Amino acid sequence: MRKTILLIFLALFEVISAQQNVDKPNIVIIMADDMGFDDVSFRGSNQFLTPNIDALAYSGVILKNLYTPPMCTPSRSALLTGKYPINTGMQHYVIPNDQPWSLPVNETTMAQIFQQNGYYTSIIGKWHLGFSRKGYTPTLRGFDYHFGYLGAYIDYFDHTLYNPNKNFSRGHDFRENLDVSRKYTGTYITDLLTAKAVKIIDDHNINEKPLFLLLNHLAPHAANDDKPLQAPPDEIEKFSYIKDPERRTYAAMMSKLDTSVAHIIEALSKKSILNNTIILFYSDNGGPTVGMHATTASNYPLRGQKNSPWEGALRSSAAIWSPKFEKLGTVWKQRIYVADLLPTLAAAAGIYINESIKLDGVNLWSALKYGYEAVEREIVHNIDDIDNYVSYFKGKWKFINGTTEEGIYDSWLGTRSNHDDEIDNRSKDYENLIRNTTVWHNLYEFNTNNGKASNITELRLDAEVKCQNTSAIEVITCNPLISPCLFDIDEDPCEQNNLYEQFKNSKIVLELLERISYFREHAHEPNNKPADPLCDPKYYEYEWTWWQDVQEGNSAVRSTSISYIIFIILLLNFFSIKFLI
Ligand SMILES: *[C@@H]1O[C@H](CO)[C@@H](O)[C@H](O)[C@H]1NC(C)=O
Ligand SMILES: *[C@@H]1O[C@H](CO)[C@@H](O)[C@H](O)[C@H]1NC(C)=O
Ligand SMILES: *[C@@H]1O[C@H](CO)[C@@H](O)[C@H](O)[C@H]1NC(C)=O
Ligand SMILES: *[C@@H]1O[C@H](CO)[C@@H](O)[C@H](O)[C@H]1NC(C)=O
Ligand SMILES: *[C@@H]1O[C@H](CO)[C@@H](O)[C@H](O)[C@H]1NC(C)=O
Ligand SMILES: *[C@@H]1O[C@H](CO)[C@@H](O)[C@H](O)[C@H]1NC(C)=O
Ligand SMILES: *[C@@H]1O[C@H](CO)[C@@H](O)[C@H](O)[C@H]1NC(C)=O
Ligand SMILES: *[C@@H]1O[C@H](CO)[C@@H](O)[C@H](O)[C@H]1NC(C)=O
Ligand SMILES: *[C@@H]1O[C@H](CO)[C@@H](O)[C@H](O)[C@H]1NC(C)=O
């Protein structure tokens, strides 16, 4: 009898919590990989247009100052943990496919938090937070579903990773959950991931659980060195006016990414859930213009590029949309760090985060919702004692000491084509192009804006970064390999004028150095490990897999039987509840 009452109580509780879930917003994050700051057209470039991403930006809130770590693995770790990479050991470089380490398994991920709070959590596309053990992979780190690849990048068509400078052989890397999936080989990955994300949205039972969808595109990251830039020929043809064939292909890769955004928003609209969804678009870090995995990406007018201490590595082109925002159709200038997204989105969903998790991110939900910009943000971009550099920011002051790659990424590398014959001819009628997108039609209806129509031209001008006019001042250059640099980012977003000598004995700098020492003392040792030759896909049917588990004998079998037992327990529970009611 007592048990019956308990079960009825539990069943009622489920109904009530399902009811509560109805109000929790769906969360859709679309992440670009290595996208240049100037490679979306809402920042002002007309070389090739991204009308759908732009329409999302203008109908939502443009994040003028979203900061990320300078590379893939650290950036993804900061998003998923809400912590600085220095506090999880993820601060140095990335996880190459042949190294046996991961985001530490004792870190709680955003996916776990949302899953525990009633969300269906899915990740489509790239992981890149470790896979040498099965326990490191997404479906064992809080995601209910994964469709994509585990490593750093893959070929856009055959989904293999190959590196001629390494000793391992070419290996396929594409899975659905834990199972290898080769049936999609040959499908252009941006389309493949988009179609899957659309299907997740279409098939989702919104009355059961709110949706958390992280769509981690490969685009526009380089594929393997044998063919780094890849797009379908008909897409490349659309950009035939761009003379540099690499830039032309890159434009086509961006165009495919742009189309993906339209399809996702269309699916949300068809499902009638836009009224309760938050959509975020951003890039994990800046684009690589030169050097490793260079793609012609442009971070114009910012200094530096991916894997450097400069704004070109750290400042992402981003926009967020939610019908709950009071100031849709604005440019938000509040500085925000990617680790702020976990507490911010959790707050949007009314999720309590246990203080024992010790987040570095700050909850900016109410600032974002009401559109105020007054929070002074401190951001430890990185303290990397292996590469020997520091990049740190507080208020408007940015401090850099040391740099990466002997300084080869330290100048202004990105350009903006201003040849009349290299301009997207749709830019002549830019406003109408934007207003004619399905994205605009779907989103703008939520934008009441006190009855005022949005001025797209004005928003676009406001989103653009304007460098300090240095002709009127005496500029002091900065070489962080020789001595530290200090910039006033409000005045000088392009990091042209080094103020360190002028301010080095000031309270500002002394306090800032104290903060850096504090963070250095409390930092987690880097998790990096040397390459393990046993990773080689040739031992595993030319597949990238959790080789450490395979080498140690089949841990796979054990975990499968545990899942069966759990499944049976859940099934029994389910029937007893239904039966009693
Ligand atoms: C995880 O374990 C490492 C090493 O044992 C420890 O330094 C770190 O503080 C732990 N992290 C958490 C979140 O418990
Ligand atoms: C590849 O293997 C050879 C022979 O074992 C070794 O000498 C070389 O250092 C290895 N190269 C790399 C990049 O690991
Ligand atoms: C615009 O450019 C595209 C692609 O280069 C071309 O196919 C099209 O004819 C052009 N349209 C106009 C009106 O010039
Ligand atoms: C969103 O719209 C759908 C369909 O019109 C409606 O059933 C639902 O209650 C709305 N949700 C919210 C949170 O307004
Ligand atoms: C927070 O986490 C700690 C340690 O895991 C646990 O002891 C405590 O009960 C949790 N607090 C709440 C309110 O859930
Ligand atoms: C800058 O870095 C160098 C080399 O690591 C170090 O010796 C120096 O103390 C640093 N300067 C400051 C002001 O932190
Ligand atoms: C608007 O889009 C539709 C279909 O997407 C197209 O047929 C039409 O020509 C476009 N109109 C303008 C003014 O661009
Ligand atoms: C939009 O803003 C631009 C730039 O400030 C201005 O030139 C233009 O007149 C505005 N358009 C409308 C319709 O207000
Ligand atoms: C920059 O400053 C110089 C010197 O004061 C001035 O002549 C020039 O017009 C300014 N340029 C811009 C783009 O404002």
Side-chain angles (χ1 to χ4, degrees):
M1 185 61 200
R2 229 190 232 156
K3 198 172 167 214
T4 315
I5 290 169
L6 182 70
L7 285 172
I8 289 172
F9 178 75
L10 280 176
L12 279 175
F13 181 73
E14 263 177 45
V15 170
I16 291 163
S17 57
Q19 204 67 42
Q20 280 174 342
N21 283 342
V22 172
D23 297 318
K24 287 192 168 148
N26 305 295
I27 292 171
V28 176
I29 301 176
I30 305 172
M31 199 197 299
D33 195 347
D34 281 8
M35 186 183 81
F37 185 77
D38 206 39
D39 297 331
V40 286
S41 45
F42 74 79
R43 292 284 191 183
S45 171
N46 284 321
Q47 194 189 23
F48 54 81
L49 301 181
T50 50
N52 298 301
I53 295 169
D54 295 11
L56 167 67
Y58 301 134
S59 49
V61 169
I62 293 173
L63 302 178
K64 192 166 183 181
N65 292 297
L66 172 68
Y67 284 90
T68 66
M71 294 188 94
C72 299
T73 297
S75 181
R76 286 152 209 268
S77 77
L79 172 72
L80 289 187
T81 60
K83 297 184 186 184
Y84 291 129
I86 53 164
N87 287 339
T88 57
M90 308 301 284
Q91 64 271 54
H92 179 66
Y93 204 63
V94 299
I95 308 177
N97 276 32
D98 55 4
Q99 292 183 7
W101 57 286
S102 74
L103 175 68
V105 289
N106 60 353
E107 293 294 341
T108 305
T109 69
M110 188 181 207
Q112 280 171 288
I113 291 170
F114 279 77
Q115 190 181 53
Q116 283 157 10
N117 283 277
Y119 275 78
Y120 175 74
T121 53
S122 55
I123 174 171
I124 308 298
K126 174 163 163 173
W127 173 242
H128 208 192
L129 288 170
F131 67 87
S132 64
R133 292 194 182 277
K134 190 195 269 185
Y136 299 163
T137 65
T139 52
L140 292 122
R141 303 302 305 270
F143 286 100
D144 291 313
Y145 181 73
H146 177 223
F147 179 81
Y149 53 107
L150 298 169
Y153 53 87
I154 49 176
D155 184 277
Y156 278 73
F157 291 98
D158 73 19
H159 312 155
T160 63
L161 179 136
Y162 168 66
N163 188 335
N165 304 315
K166 303 267 184 119
N167 275 336
F168 53 70
S169 47
R170 184 185 289 275
H172 173 262
D173 181 8
F174 206 90
R175 286 173 191 262
E176 180 160 23
N177 295 321
L178 297 174
D179 301 326
V180 168
S181 188
R182 287 193 178 236
K183 67 178 167 201
Y184 304 103
T185 301
T187 307
Y188 189 66
I189 189 156
T190 308
D191 296 337
L192 177 61
L193 300 180
T194 303
K196 182 56 81 173
V198 165
K199 189 155 174 18
I200 296 259
I201 294 166
D202 287 350
D203 294 350
H204 186 67
N205 181 353
I206 211 69
N207 297 319
E208 202 173 287
K209 285 179 171 196
L211 177 66
F212 179 94
L213 173 66
L214 178 57
L215 171 54
N216 287 350
H217 273 294
L218 173 63
H221 193 288
N224 299 303
D225 288 355
D226 51 2
K227 196 155 196 265
L229 292 151
Q230 299 179 358
D234 58 330
E235 202 67 27
I236 299 175
E237 184 52 35
K238 292 180 188 165
F239 301 92
S240 54
Y241 60 91
I242 298 178
K243 292 186 190 70
D244 173 4
E246 288 193 338
R247 186 69 176 163
R248 191 186 310 144
T249 307
Y250 184 82
M253 290 156 74
M254 279 304 302
S255 176
K256 279 290 195 181
L257 177 63
D258 186 62
T259 306
S260 169
V261 171
H263 287 316
I264 301 303
I265 293 171
E266 185 68 18
L268 294 166
S269 170
K270 283 217 184 94
K271 189 87 177 174
S272 302
I273 56 173
L274 277 171
N275 61 359
N276 195 27
T277 299
I278 299 172
I279 306 166
L280 168 69
F281 173 86
Y282 81 104
S283 176
D284 63 342
N285 47 252
T289 309
V290 299
M292 189 189 262
H293 299 313
T295 53
T296 79
S298 173
N299 304 302
Y300 174 89
L302 302 177
R303 186 170 184 175
Q305 66 164 35
K306 175 186 178 182
N307 187 19
S308 78
W310 310 98
E311 298 290 284
L314 308 168
R315 222 175 136 172
S316 183
S317 276
I320 191 165
W321 181 90
S322 156
K324 300 230 162 63
F325 294 160
E326 298 240 316
K327 293 189 185 162
L328 284 168
T330 55
V331 177
W332 197 48
K333 300 186 177 76
Q334 170 67 48
R335 293 191 172 104
I336 168 168
Y337 182 56
V338 71
D340 300 343
L341 290 167
L342 169 49
T344 299
L345 295 172
I351 292 173
Y352 160 82
I353 299 177
N354 191 323
E355 270 146 35
S356 70
I357 294 179
K358 293 208 183 75
L359 299 179
D360 295 307
V362 174
N363 168 11
L364 292 172
W365 177 244
S366 62
L368 183 56
K369 188 172 169 191
Y370 300 107
Y372 60 85
E373 303 172 331
V375 183
E376 188 189 76
R377 204 61 195 83
E378 171 187 46
I379 305 171
V380 183
H381 293 308
N382 211 2
I383 300 175
D384 182 339
D385 288 337
I386 299 174
D387 273 349
N388 209 9
Y389 81 93
V390 171
S391 180
Y392 168 93
F393 184 87
K394 183 159 194 217
K396 62 178 186 174
W397 297 105
K398 179 160 175 202
F399 174 85
I400 294 174
N401 190 17
T403 188
T404 55
E405 305 290 326
E406 281 99 40
I408 59 170
Y409 301 154
D410 283 3
S411 64
W412 294 264
L413 299 157
T415 52
R416 180 183 281 180
S417 174
N418 51 10
H419 303 289
D420 281 346
D421 56 350
E422 276 216 358
I423 296 282
D424 195 319
N425 61 16
R426 295 173 296 173
S427 63
K428 287 196 287 269
D429 200 12
Y430 180 74
E431 285 225 13
N432 282 328
L433 174 74
I434 302 300
R435 289 185 202 279
N436 196 29
T437 57
T438 56
V439 173
W440 184 267
H441 291 300
N442 286 326
L443 300 185
Y444 193 65
E445 66 173 281
F446 291 92
N447 189 343
T448 55
N449 227 358
N450 309 319
K452 273 190 297 176
S454 273
N455 184 332
I456 288 176
T457 305
E458 203 162 82
L459 285 171
R460 198 180 191 204
L461 284 170
D462 203 10
E464 194 160 13
V465 169
K466 283 147 202 103
C467 296
Q468 186 174 26
N469 182 355
T470 51
S471 11
I473 55 170
E474 201 179 320
V475 167
I476 301 164
T477 58
C478 152
N479 180 349
L481 286 172
I482 295 170
S483 60
C485 309
L486 183 76
F487 300 101
D488 174 346
I489 296 293
D490 280 351
E491 284 294 315
D492 180 19
C494 304
E495 299 170 296
Q496 302 177 95
N497 188 23
N498 179 10
L499 302 173
Y500 184 72
E501 278 303 312
Q502 190 184 334
F503 285 93
K504 68 179 175 191
N505 297 316
S506 69
K507 190 162 163 266
I508 295 159
V509 169
L510 297 176
E511 275 179 9
L512 185 151
L513 292 176
E514 234 169 73
R515 290 293 289 162
I516 293 168
S517 323
Y518 171 87
F519 281 107
R520 174 176 272 126
E521 265 165 43
H522 292 84
H524 190 298
E525 283 293 300
N527 301 320
N528 307 66
K529 292 226 171 84
D532 177 357
L534 290 173
C535 73
D536 197 330
K538 75 180 178 198
Y539 304 126
Y540 318 100
E541 296 166 349
Y542 296 90
E543 206 57 65
W544 285 102
T545 192
W546 28 84
W547 74 90
Q548 288 183 295
D549 288 344
V550 175
Q551 289 295 330
E552 284 169 16
N554 249 326
S555 71
V557 177
R558 260 182 286 136
S559 77
T560 314
S561 54
I562 290 171
S563 348
Y564 272 120
I565 292 167
I566 292 173
F567 178 72
I568 287 166
I569 292 171
L570 285 176
L571 207 65
L572 288 174
N573 245 327
F574 177 76
F575 278 117
S576 64
I577 288 170
K578 289 282 147 174
F579 178 74
L580 287 164
I581 282 181

Coordinates of all heavy atoms in Angstrom, one line a residue, residues 475-524:
V475 N 52.4 56.5 -32.2 CA 52.1 55.1 -31.9 C 53.3 54.4 -31.4 O 54.4 54.6 -31.9 CB 51.6 54.4 -33.2 CG1 51.6 52.9 -33.0 CG2 50.2 54.9 -33.5
I476 N 53.1 53.7 -30.3 CA 54.2 52.9 -29.8 C 53.9 51.4 -30.1 O 52.9 50.9 -29.8 CB 54.4 53.0 -28.3 CG1 54.6 54.5 -28.0 CG2 55.5 52.2 -27.7 CD1 54.4 54.9 -26.5
T477 N 54.8 50.8 -30.9 CA 54.5 49.4 -31.3 C 54.7 48.4 -30.2 O 55.3 48.8 -29.1 CB 55.4 49.0 -32.5 OG1 56.7 49.1 -32.1 CG2 55.1 49.8 -33.7
C478 N 54.3 47.2 -30.4 CA 54.4 46.2 -29.3 C 55.0 44.9 -29.9 O 54.5 44.4 -30.9 CB 53.0 46.0 -28.8 SG 52.7 44.3 -28.1
N479 N 56.0 44.4 -29.2 CA 56.5 43.1 -29.6 C 56.6 42.3 -28.2 O 57.5 42.5 -27.5 CB 57.9 43.2 -30.2 CG 58.4 41.8 -30.5 OD1 57.8 40.8 -30.1 ND2 59.5 41.7 -31.3
P480 N 55.6 41.5 -28.0 CA 55.4 40.8 -26.7 C 56.5 39.8 -26.4 O 56.6 39.3 -25.3 CB 54.1 40.2 -26.7 CG 53.8 40.0 -28.2 CD 54.5 41.1 -28.9
L481 N 57.4 39.5 -27.4 CA 58.5 38.6 -27.2 C 59.6 39.4 -26.5 O 60.5 38.8 -25.9 CB 59.0 38.0 -28.5 CG 58.1 36.9 -29.1 CD1 58.6 36.6 -30.5 CD2 58.1 35.7 -28.2
I482 N 59.6 40.7 -26.6 CA 60.6 41.6 -26.0 C 60.2 42.2 -24.7 O 60.9 42.1 -23.7 CB 61.1 42.7 -27.0 CG1 61.7 42.0 -28.2 CG2 62.0 43.6 -26.3 CD1 62.0 42.9 -29.4
S483 N 59.0 42.8 -24.7 CA 58.5 43.3 -23.4 C 57.0 43.3 -23.4 O 56.3 43.2 -24.5 CB 59.0 44.7 -23.2 OG 58.6 45.5 -24.2
P484 N 56.3 43.4 -22.2 CA 54.9 43.3 -22.2 C 54.2 44.4 -22.9 O 54.8 45.5 -23.2 CB 54.6 43.4 -20.7 CG 55.8 43.1 -20.0 CD 56.9 43.5 -20.9
C485 N 52.9 44.2 -23.3 CA 52.1 45.2 -24.0 C 50.8 45.4 -23.2 O 50.3 44.5 -22.6 CB 51.7 44.7 -25.4 SG 53.1 44.1 -26.3
L486 N 50.3 46.7 -23.3 CA 49.1 47.0 -22.7 C 48.2 47.9 -23.7 O 48.8 48.8 -24.3 CB 49.3 47.9 -21.4 CG 48.1 48.3 -20.6 CD1 47.6 47.1 -19.8 CD2 48.5 49.4 -19.6
F487 N 47.0 47.5 -23.8 CA 46.1 48.2 -24.8 C 44.8 48.7 -24.1 O 44.3 48.0 -23.2 CB 45.7 47.3 -25.9 CG 46.9 46.8 -26.7 CD1 47.4 45.5 -26.5 CD2 47.6 47.6 -27.6 CE1 48.5 45.1 -27.2 CE2 48.7 47.2 -28.3 CZ 49.1 45.9 -28.1
D488 N 44.3 49.8 -24.5 CA 43.0 50.3 -24.1 C 42.1 49.9 -25.2 O 42.0 50.5 -26.2 CB 43.1 51.8 -24.0 CG 41.7 52.4 -23.7 OD1 40.7 51.7 -23.9 OD2 41.7 53.6 -23.3
I489 N 41.4 48.7 -25.0 CA 40.6 48.1 -26.0 C 39.4 49.0 -26.4 O 38.9 48.9 -27.6 CB 40.2 46.7 -25.6 CG1 41.4 45.8 -25.5 CG2 39.2 46.1 -26.6 CD1 42.2 45.5 -26.8
D490 N 38.9 49.8 -25.5 CA 37.8 50.7 -25.9 C 38.2 51.6 -27.0 O 37.5 51.8 -28.0 CB 37.3 51.5 -24.7 CG 36.4 50.7 -23.7 OD1 36.0 49.6 -24.1 OD2 36.1 51.2 -22.6
E491 N 39.4 52.2 -26.8 CA 39.9 53.2 -27.8 C 40.5 52.5 -29.0 O 40.5 53.0 -30.1 CB 41.0 54.1 -27.1 CG 40.5 55.1 -26.2 CD 39.7 56.2 -26.9 OE1 40.2 56.6 -27.9 OE2 38.6 56.5 -26.4
D492 N 41.2 51.4 -28.6 CA 42.1 50.8 -29.6 C 41.8 49.3 -29.8 O 42.6 48.4 -29.4 CB 43.5 51.0 -29.0 CG 44.6 50.4 -29.8 OD1 44.4 50.2 -31.0 OD2 45.8 50.3 -29.3
P493 N 40.6 48.9 -30.3 CA 40.3 47.5 -30.5 C 41.2 46.7 -31.4 O 41.2 45.5 -31.3 CB 38.9 47.6 -31.0 CG 38.7 48.9 -31.7 CD 39.6 49.8 -30.9
C494 N 42.0 47.5 -32.2 CA 42.9 46.8 -33.1 C 44.3 46.6 -32.6 O 45.2 46.2 -33.3 CB 42.9 47.5 -34.5 SG 41.2 47.6 -35.1
E495 N 44.5 47.0 -31.3 CA 45.8 46.7 -30.6 C 47.0 47.3 -31.4 O 47.9 46.6 -31.7 CB 46.0 45.2 -30.4 CG 44.9 44.7 -29.5 CD 44.8 43.1 -29.4 OE1 44.6 42.5 -30.5 OE2 45.1 42.6 -28.3
Q496 N 46.9 48.6 -31.7 CA 48.0 49.3 -32.4 C 48.9 50.1 -31.5 O 50.1 50.3 -31.9 CB 47.3 50.3 -33.4 CG 46.4 49.6 -34.4 CD 45.7 50.6 -35.3 OE1 46.2 50.8 -36.5 NE2 44.7 51.2 -34.9
N497 N 48.4 50.5 -30.4 CA 49.2 51.5 -29.6 C 49.5 50.9 -28.2 O 48.6 50.8 -27.4 CB 48.5 52.8 -29.5 CG 49.3 53.9 -28.9 OD1 50.6 53.8 -28.9 ND2 48.7 54.9 -28.3
N498 N 50.7 50.6 -28.0 CA 51.2 49.9 -26.7 C 51.4 50.9 -25.6 O 52.2 51.8 -25.6 CB 52.5 49.2 -27.0 CG 53.0 48.5 -25.8 OD1 52.3 48.4 -24.7 ND2 54.2 47.9 -25.9
L499 N 50.5 50.8 -24.5 CA 50.6 51.8 -23.4 C 51.4 51.3 -22.2 O 51.3 51.9 -21.2 CB 49.2 52.2 -23.0 CG 48.3 52.7 -24.1 CD1 46.8 52.9 -23.6 CD2 48.8 54.1 -24.6
Y500 N 52.1 50.2 -22.4 CA 52.7 49.6 -21.2 C 53.7 50.5 -20.5 O 53.6 50.7 -19.3 CB 53.3 48.2 -21.6 CG 53.9 47.5 -20.4 CD1 53.1 46.9 -19.4 CD2 55.3 47.5 -20.1 CE1 53.6 46.3 -18.3 CE2 55.8 46.9 -19.0 CZ 54.9 46.3 -18.1 OH 55.4 45.7 -17.0
E501 N 54.6 51.1 -21.3 CA 55.6 51.9 -20.7 C 55.0 53.1 -19.9 O 55.4 53.4 -18.8 CB 56.6 52.5 -21.7 CG 57.7 51.5 -22.2 CD 58.6 51.1 -21.0 OE1 59.0 51.9 -20.2 OE2 58.8 49.8 -20.9
Q502 N 54.0 53.6 -20.4 CA 53.3 54.8 -19.8 C 52.6 54.3 -18.5 O 52.5 55.1 -17.5 CB 52.2 55.3 -20.8 CG 51.6 56.6 -20.4 CD 50.5 57.0 -21.4 OE1 50.6 56.6 -22.6 NE2 49.6 57.8 -21.0
F503 N 52.1 53.1 -18.4 CA 51.2 52.7 -17.3 C 51.9 51.7 -16.4 O 51.3 51.2 -15.4 CB 49.9 52.2 -17.8 CG 48.9 53.3 -18.2 CD1 48.9 53.6 -19.6 CD2 48.1 53.9 -17.3 CE1 48.0 54.6 -20.0 CE2 47.3 54.9 -17.8 CZ 47.2 55.3 -19.1
K504 N 53.1 51.3 -16.7 CA 53.7 50.1 -16.0 C 53.7 50.2 -14.5 O 53.7 49.2 -13.8 CB 55.0 49.7 -16.6 CG 56.1 50.6 -16.3 CD 57.4 50.0 -17.0 CE 58.5 51.0 -16.8 NZ 59.7 50.6 -17.6
N505 N 53.8 51.4 -14.0 CA 53.9 51.6 -12.5 C 52.5 52.0 -11.9 O 52.4 52.3 -10.8 CB 55.0 52.5 -12.1 CG 56.3 52.0 -12.5 OD1 56.6 50.8 -12.3 ND2 57.2 52.8 -13.1
S506 N 51.5 52.0 -12.8 CA 50.2 52.5 -12.3 C 49.5 51.4 -11.5 O 49.8 50.2 -11.6 CB 49.3 52.9 -13.5 OG 49.0 51.7 -14.2
K507 N 48.5 51.8 -10.7 CA 47.7 50.9 -9.9 C 47.0 49.9 -10.8 O 47.0 48.7 -10.5 CB 46.7 51.8 -9.2 CG 45.9 51.0 -8.1 CD 45.3 52.0 -7.1 CE 44.2 51.3 -6.3 NZ 42.9 51.4 -6.9
I508 N 46.6 50.4 -12.0 CA 45.9 49.5 -12.9 C 46.7 48.3 -13.3 O 46.3 47.1 -13.1 CB 45.6 50.2 -14.2 CG1 44.6 51.4 -13.9 CG2 45.0 49.3 -15.3 CD1 44.6 52.4 -15.0
V509 N 48.0 48.6 -13.7 CA 48.9 47.5 -14.1 C 49.3 46.6 -12.9 O 49.3 45.4 -13.0 CB 50.1 48.0 -14.9 CG1 51.1 46.9 -15.1 CG2 49.6 48.6 -16.2
L510 N 49.6 47.2 -11.8 CA 50.1 46.4 -10.6 C 49.0 45.5 -10.2 O 49.2 44.3 -9.9 CB 50.5 47.3 -9.5 CG 51.8 48.2 -9.9 CD1 52.1 49.2 -8.8 CD2 53.0 47.4 -10.3
E511 N 47.7 46.0 -10.2 CA 46.6 45.1 -9.8 C 46.4 44.0 -10.8 O 46.1 42.8 -10.4 CB 45.3 45.9 -9.7 CG 45.2 46.6 -8.3 CD 43.9 47.4 -8.2 OE1 43.1 47.4 -9.1 OE2 43.8 48.2 -7.2
L512 N 46.5 44.3 -12.0 CA 46.4 43.3 -13.1 C 47.4 42.2 -13.0 O 47.1 41.0 -13.1 CB 46.4 44.2 -14.3 CG 46.2 43.9 -15.7 CD1 45.7 45.2 -16.4 CD2 47.5 43.5 -16.3
L513 N 48.7 42.6 -12.7 CA 49.7 41.6 -12.5 C 49.5 40.7 -11.3 O 49.8 39.5 -11.4 CB 51.1 42.3 -12.4 CG 51.6 43.0 -13.7 CD1 52.9 43.7 -13.5 CD2 51.7 42.1 -14.9
E514 N 48.9 41.3 -10.3 CA 48.6 40.5 -9.1 C 47.5 39.5 -9.4 O 47.6 38.3 -9.0 CB 48.1 41.5 -8.0 CG 48.8 41.4 -6.7 CD 48.3 42.5 -5.8 OE1 47.2 42.5 -5.3 OE2 49.2 43.4 -5.6
R515 N 46.5 39.9 -10.2 CA 45.5 39.0 -10.6 C 46.1 37.8 -11.4 O 45.7 36.7 -11.2 CB 44.4 39.7 -11.4 CG 43.5 40.6 -10.6 CD 42.7 40.0 -9.6 NE 41.6 39.2 -10.1 CZ 40.9 38.2 -9.5 NH1 41.3 37.9 -8.2 NH2 39.9 37.6 -10.0
I516 N 47.0 38.2 -12.3 CA 47.6 37.1 -13.1 C 48.4 36.1 -12.3 O 48.2 34.9 -12.5 CB 48.4 37.8 -14.3 CG1 47.5 38.5 -15.2 CG2 49.2 36.7 -15.0 CD1 48.3 39.4 -16.2
S517 N 49.1 36.6 -11.3 CA 49.9 35.7 -10.4 C 48.9 34.8 -9.7 O 49.2 33.6 -9.5 CB 50.7 36.4 -9.4 OG 51.3 37.5 -9.9
Y518 N 47.8 35.4 -9.2 CA 46.8 34.6 -8.5 C 46.3 33.5 -9.4 O 46.3 32.3 -8.9 CB 45.7 35.5 -8.0 CG 44.5 34.7 -7.4 CD1 44.5 34.4 -6.1 CD2 43.5 34.3 -8.3 CE1 43.4 33.6 -5.6 CE2 42.4 33.6 -7.7 CZ 42.4 33.2 -6.4 OH 41.4 32.5 -5.9
F519 N 45.9 33.8 -10.6 CA 45.4 32.8 -11.5 C 46.4 31.7 -11.8 O 46.1 30.5 -11.9 CB 44.8 33.4 -12.8 CG 43.5 34.0 -12.6 CD1 43.3 35.4 -12.5 CD2 42.3 33.2 -12.4 CE1 42.0 35.9 -12.4 CE2 41.1 33.7 -12.2 CZ 40.9 35.1 -12.2
R520 N 47.7 32.2 -12.0 CA 48.8 31.2 -12.3 C 49.0 30.3 -11.2 O 49.1 29.1 -11.4 CB 50.0 32.0 -12.6 CG 51.2 31.1 -12.8 CD 52.5 31.8 -13.2 NE 52.6 32.0 -14.7 CZ 52.7 33.2 -15.3 NH1 52.8 34.3 -14.6 NH2 52.8 33.2 -16.6
E521 N 49.0 30.8 -9.9 CA 49.2 29.9 -8.8 C 48.1 28.9 -8.6 O 48.4 27.8 -8.2 CB 49.2 30.8 -7.5 CG 50.5 31.2 -7.0 CD 50.3 32.3 -6.0 OE1 49.4 32.2 -5.1 OE2 51.1 33.3 -6.1
H522 N 46.9 29.2 -9.0 CA 45.7 28.3 -8.8 C 45.4 27.5 -10.0 O 44.5 26.7 -10.0 CB 44.5 29.1 -8.3 CG 44.6 29.7 -7.0 ND1 45.3 30.9 -6.7 CD2 44.3 29.2 -5.8 CE1 45.3 31.1 -5.4 NE2 44.7 30.1 -4.8
A523 N 46.2 27.7 -11.1 CA 45.9 26.9 -12.3 C 46.1 25.4 -12.2 O 46.9 25.0 -11.3 CB 46.8 27.5 -13.4
H524 N 45.4 24.7 -13.0 CA 45.5 23.3 -13.1 C 46.7 23.0 -14.0 O 46.8 23.6 -15.0 CB 44.2 22.8 -13.7 CG 43.9 21.3 -13.7 ND1 44.7 20.4 -14.3 CD2 42.9 20.6 -13.1 CE1 44.2 19.2 -14.2 NE2 43.1 19.3 -13.4

